[in-house]
Amino acid sequence: MHRVVIMLAFAGLAFGQPVQYLESKKIFLLTTRQNSYAFGVGNDGALRHLYWGAPLWRADDLSAPAPRRDVSSFDPRQMMEAEEFPGWGGPRYYEPALKITRDDGGRDLVLRYASHRIEGNELTVNLRDINDAIEVSLIYRVYPEYGIVRRHAIIHNSTQHNLTIESAQSAVWNLPAGEGYQLTYVSGRWAAEDQLHHEPIYEGQKVLESRKGHTSHNFNPWFMIDAGDAGEEHGAVWFGALAWSGNWRITVEQTPYRQVRVTGGMNSFDFAYPLKPGDSLETPAFYGGYAASGFGSASRMLHRFERDEILPGGASSRLRPVLYNSWEATTFNVNEAGQKELADKAAKLGVELFVMDDGWFGARNNDRAGLGDWVVNPQKFPQGLKGLIDHVNSLGMDFGLWVEPEMVNANSDLYRKHPDWVINFPGRPRSELRNQMILNLAREDVKQYIFGVLDKLASEYNIRYFKWDMNRSFSEPGWPEAGAADERKLWVGYVRNLYDIIDRLRAKHPKLEIESCSGGGGRVDLGILRRVDEVWPSDNTEAFDRLRIQEGFTYAYTPKVMSAWVTDVPNMNGRAVSLSYRFLVMMQGALGIGANLNKFSEQDTATATRMVATYKRIRATVQTGDLYRLLSPRGDDVTASQYVAGDGRQSVLFAFRHAQQYQTAVPAIRLRGLDEKAVYKIEPVNGRPAPGQQQQYSGAYLMNNGLNLGLRGDYDATAVILERQ
Ligand code: GLA
C-alpha cells in the first residue's frame, strides 16, 4: 500500500505541475511528493476547500462539492461549507479569516473569486467583496520536495474610503469532514517550555495564542492533528506552523456540523489595523503539511524544510559550532581578565564560539541598570572589547556577544534622554518586569537607533554572533504619538521592524550569526527562524527537565537550532545528575557549555574534552539527520532518541534511565531508519558496552530485536554511535 502511494506521488509530479488548475471544474490542485491540497470555486464564486491528504495525481477526480441546503433557520448552508478564506459576513458564525469595519459602520464582508495567477510553484487567487473593492489575495506557495504549502493573504483597500481590519488571519485549514480528531500542541511557562499534549478535539474552540507581544513561553505557534489513531511512526498527521513573532492566534474549532477547521494568523485580540484607500496589510506565512506516517514523520518534514528553506543560508549554512556562554559562570560580573580565563579553558575543551553574556555595557552590574546604554563599560573593559576578542580569536574561537536591544532600564542614560521611546499609555503606570521597559520598535527613530547600535558593534569589533535576548512581555502597549486611530498598528509594526533590523544587519554583515533568546524559549517560531541561526529553548538547563522540553521542541523545530548547554549542578530542582548525563542530553541539539569552568575538576575537564570531541564526530548526524523519537520522557522509565545521517552511514542512539525500580531491566530498544541489509559497527560513547553487547549487528536485528543498553539505577545515560560497514 505504502509503495503504491509513493509511486502515485512521483507520478503526480512527473505528469503534472505542483500547481494545477482544472478550468472545466474551476479546481486548484496543489501537489507535493508527500501530499495534496485542493480547493475550488463554487457556482456562487466562493472558494471551497476540497481535499487535504495523501498525494493525488488526477485533478479530474475532484469536483466542486454539491451546494448545501439550509438545514434550519439556525443552521444555514454557509456553516456546513468548508470555505477556504471566509470573511465575516452573511450567516457565518465560526472563526472568520477576515473581519473589517468600513468607515460608514458597515461590517458585512462576503468574498468571491475574482481572478488567479499561477507562476511556477506559486498560486495567487484574488477575491473581492460582493459590493465594494475590498480585495484579498490568497498566496499559496508549494514546496514539492518538502510536502509543505505556505499560505498567506494580502488585504488591499481599493475603495475610496477608510476601513479598519479587526481580524486578519493567514489561512484556514479544513480537515476532512468527521469527528474524533486529536490535537497535539505544546504549552508551558518560563523555564518549563514546550510541554507536549495530545488531547481530543471537541465541539467548540481551543485557542492557542500569545497576547504578550512576543511568541511567548505559554504556547508555541504550531499544531498537529490526527484522526485519533496516530503514533510517532504511524497514522495520518495534518500539521501547520505560523511564522510570526508577535501576538498570534491559532484557533482549533469543531463546528456542530462535523467540520474541524484551524484558523491562524495575527491575534485579533486588541487588534485594529486601519487601511486608508490604497493601503494593504500582509499577513504572516502559515505553513502546512500532511504526513502519512505519524508525528515523527511530520517532525522530520518540518525539520528538513526549516533547514533548507527557512534558516538563513538554507542547506548551505554551516553546522552549529560548539559554544561556550559565560552567563551561569559570571552573571553580571564580567571583566577582561575573567573572560580571558574562561576563554582559555573553553578553548582547551574544544569550544569553537565563545559568547560573553550580560554585564559588559553601561552601568550593568545587576538587572536594575544599564539596559539601553550599549557602550562598553570602561571599568570592566578599559581597552574596549578588542583585547578580549583578539584573545578569543587567537585561541581559534569566534566571539559572540549578548545584547538585549529592545529594552531599557529606568536607570539608564537612554531612558533619561528618551522617556517617550517606551511603549506606554500617557498618565498610566509603566509596569516594569525585571526592572525593564520595552522600546517602541514600531517608531522609526527607535528602529534606527537600535539598528545603529548593533551595526556599530558589528562594524567596530570582530563579532561573529549576537545572542539577542528579550526578557519581558509587553504591557500598556500604547503608542501615543501615532494617535488613537493608528496606535494599535504597534502590534504589527513592532514585529515588522524587529525583522527589518535583523534583515538589514545580516545583509550588511554577512558572516554575522544570531541566536534568538527570550528569557529562554519566549521567541521561537518560523518567523524569527528565517533570521536567526539558533534559538535558546529554555533558561532551564537542568538535564532531566530538558528531556521533555527537547521532546516538545523537536516536534516542530530542527535539533540544529536547539541550543543546549551543559551547566553546573545542583541545578533547578536541586538535582545533580552526572556530567556525562548532562552532556548526553545536550549533545542531542546544538551543544554548548554554560558551566563555570573555573570549578571544573581534572576529571570534569577530561570528560568534557572527550564529549566535545565525540559530539564533533556526530554533529552532522544530530543537526542535519533524521530524528526518531523512540521512547518519550512522558512515558516509561526510559527516554530514547535516535538520529540517522542523511546518507545513512552514521546513526546515534541516546538513552536515559529515570528511576529504576524492582531491579527491572530495560527491554531492548528497537531502532529505526536503518538499512536492514547493512551491518553496523556499535561504539558506546561512554566506553561502556552493555553486558553481552556485540560489536556489530545487522540493521534487521537492530530494528526488529533492538539493542540492549544495560541502563541501571537512577539517571543513568548512554549513547552509541552506529557506523554502517
Ligand atoms: C536571560 C537569558 C539568559 C541570560 C540572562 C542575562 O534570562 O535567557 O540566558 O542571557 O537573560 O541577563
Side-chain angles (χ1 to χ4, degrees), residues 507-528:
K508 191 156 175 214
H509 305 277
K511 286 188 85 178
L512 182 71
E513 297 179 334
I514 297 178
E515 168 184 342
S516 169
C517 173
S518 174
R523 188 143 71 196
V524 181
D525 59 79
L526 292 187
I528 203 72

Side-chain angles (χ1 to χ4, degrees), residues 190 325 327-328 331-332 357-359 364 367 402 404 434 436 467 469-471 515 517-521 536 538-539 565:
W190 175 78
N325 180 293
W327 172 245
E328 296 196 18
T331 62
F332 301 99
D357 209 279
D358 203 347
R364 187 75 171 165
D367 64 16
W402 180 93
E404 196 180 359
R434 208 195 190 205
Q436 60 198 56
K467 173 177 171 183
D469 213 334
M470 196 274 187
N471 272 318
E515 168 184 342
C517 173
S518 174
W536 183 226
S538 182
D539 277 348
W565 308 345

Side-chain angles (χ1 to χ4, degrees), residues 35-36 50 156 362 445 459 473-474 486 518 551 569 581 591 698:
N35 46 50
S36 286
L50 294 176
H156 191 70
D445 46 3
S459 307
S473 302
F474 284 37
D486 280 316
S518 174
E551 177 194 45
V569 289
Y581 184 107
L591 176 67
S698 68

Side-chain angles (χ1 to χ4, degrees), residues 288-540:
Y290 163 89
S293 333
F295 303 113
S297 69
S299 298
R300 289 187 289 276
M301 281 164 70
L302 279 167
H303 296 172
R304 202 156 81 85
F305 177 67
E306 289 156 6
R307 286 195 304 265
D308 290 0
E309 295 288 336
I310 296 284
L311 291 171
S316 61
S317 64
R318 67 169 182 160
L319 293 175
R320 300 310 307 148
V322 177
L323 161 164
Y324 180 78
N325 180 293
S326 67
W327 172 245
E328 296 196 18
T330 47
T331 62
F332 301 99
N333 304 319
V334 294
N335 59 44
E336 187 163 330
Q339 294 297 301
K340 280 183 171 169
E341 197 183 340
L342 284 172
D344 290 337
K345 293 181 173 158
K348 287 204 182 102
L349 302 181
V351 165
E352 298 155 310
L353 169 63
F354 180 88
V355 183
M356 177 162 66
D357 209 279
D358 203 347
W360 58 268
F361 54 91
R364 187 75 171 165
N365 296 316
N366 49 51
D367 64 16
R368 294 187 295 281
L371 280 178
D373 300 339
W374 300 103
V375 281
V376 180
N377 181 301
Q379 278 82 47
K380 296 176 182 176
F381 297 92
Q383 290 1 295
L385 296 181
K386 190 163 185 315
L388 172 62
I389 297 177
D390 285 350
H391 186 73
V392 166
N393 291 160
S394 75
L395 293 165
M397 298 186 292
D398 285 324
F399 180 78
L401 190 66
W402 180 93
V403 288
E404 196 180 359
E406 299 152 81
M407 298 291 160
V408 69
N409 287 116
N411 185 3
S412 67
D413 293 341
L414 185 72
Y415 188 65
R416 282 182 280 273
K417 201 163 156 205
H418 296 292
D420 55 323
W421 277 14
V422 303
I423 59 175
N424 74 93
F425 291 125
R428 305 291 304 170
R430 300 178 174 199
S431 297
E432 293 182 21
L433 294 168
R434 208 195 190 205
N435 311 300
Q436 60 198 56
M437 290 168 280
I438 302 189
L439 293 171
N440 182 356
L441 256 66
R443 284 174 63 131
E444 197 53 30
D445 46 3
V446 172
K447 174 175 126 175
Q448 295 307 348
Y449 166 78
I450 292 177
F451 174 78
V453 160
L454 297 169
D455 178 39
K456 184 158 181 281
L457 281 169
S459 307
E460 226 168 270
Y461 294 117
N462 189 20
I463 294 173
R464 182 75 201 261
Y465 184 91
F466 278 132
K467 173 177 171 183
W468 183 310
D469 213 334
M470 196 274 187
N471 272 318
R472 62 156 293 180
S473 302
F474 284 37
S475 63
E476 299 99 15
W479 180 6
E481 300 77 18
D486 280 316
E487 76 169 318
R488 293 189 210 191
K489 280 185 165 175
L490 180 142
W491 292 123
V492 178
Y494 186 100
V495 182
R496 291 229 191 286
N497 282 353
L498 168 74
Y499 288 169
D500 188 58
I501 293 169
I502 302 179
D503 292 347
R504 279 167 64 204
L505 210 53
R506 292 195 75 120
K508 191 156 175 214
H509 305 277
K511 286 188 85 178
L512 182 71
E513 297 179 334
I514 297 178
E515 168 184 342
S516 169
C517 173
S518 174
R523 188 143 71 196
V524 181
D525 59 79
L526 292 187
I528 203 72
L529 277 175
R530 288 201 84 87
R531 310 176 153 84
V532 301
D533 306 86
E534 266 182 53
V535 294
W536 183 226
S538 182
D539 277 348
N540 185 344

Side-chain angles (χ1 to χ4, degrees), residues 166-197:
E166 282 151 20
S167 172
Q169 302 302 300
S170 300
V172 180
W173 301 96
N174 286 283
L175 277 290
E179 291 163 315
Y181 284 106
Q182 180 170 269
L183 173 68
T184 299
Y185 67 100
V186 289
S187 70
R189 55 179 193 272
W190 175 78
E193 298 85 339
D194 289 317
Q195 304 296 308
L196 191 69
H197 306 279

